[in-house]
Amino acid sequence: MLKLIQVIALSPLFVLAACGADPAPGPVEQIIVREPGAAPVATAAAVASNPASALIAEGKAAFANCSACHAVEQGAPNGAGPNLVGIVGTAAGGVAGFAYSDALKASGITWTAAELDSFIADPAARIPGTTMVAGAIADSAERQAVIAYLESITAN
């Protein structure tokens, strides 16, 4: 009787252990549906054939960490950081309605790719007194991808 109870008690464990035993699924066909007149969706083959698009896609993915503070949609309100649509090529401290630190407003910086790279690498070292206390990106390749993304949304 005791063995029967043990078998019954352990049987759910064997059933659960078998749940992940399915072989890996094969290739999945992707169907892309879009509204008439909408821009085409980038496919993996299109991105692979255009390295600039791939870099922008990487930057958009990396920018997800920045989106906790910064918006990148035209007309979106500022958050803990300013909306960054169109930021490349503009003077630091120039987004209307955002309360910048005195240090950033007095920096005299124009947001070029080189300035963005330096600032994003270590905001407090580039502009002592900035209120941007988080968001440094140590990885150079990731910074370049984010900057490419910011440049792409500035151009559009």
Side-chain angles (χ1 to χ4, degrees), residues 138-150:
D139 182 74
S140 177
E142 187 175 346
R143 284 195 312 272
Q144 295 309 308
V146 168
I147 293 165
Y149 173 60
L150 291 174

Side-chain angles (χ1 to χ4, degrees), residues 56-86:
I56 291 167
E58 287 176 36
K60 184 175 183 177
F63 190 84
N65 294 326
C66 309
S67 65
C69 298
H70 296 281
V72 288
E73 293 84 27
Q74 190 70 41
N78 295 315
N83 185 328
L84 298 180
V85 169

Side-chain angles (χ1 to χ4, degrees), residues 27-33 41-45:
V28 177
E29 182 176 342
Q30 182 179 7
I31 299 172
I32 300 172
V33 178
V41 177
T43 62

Side-chain angles (χ1 to χ4, degrees), residues 79-138:
N83 185 328
L84 298 180
V85 169
I87 199 72
V88 179
T90 65
V95 174
F98 186 76
Y100 288 97
S101 65
D102 291 337
L104 191 79
K105 287 189 287 190
S107 69
I109 290 174
T110 297
W111 291 124
T112 63
E115 286 291 354
L116 283 166
D117 185 55
S118 175
F119 185 72
I120 296 169
D122 190 349
R126 178 62 186 99
I127 303 175
T130 184
T131 54
M132 184 168 154
V133 294
I137 301 173

Side-chain angles (χ1 to χ4, degrees), residues 9-41:
L10 293 176
S11 63
L13 293 176
F14 293 116
V15 171
L16 289 175
C19 287
D22 289 342
V28 177
E29 182 176 342
Q30 182 179 7
I31 299 172
I32 300 172
V33 178
R34 62 184 175 94
E35 293 295 319
V41 177

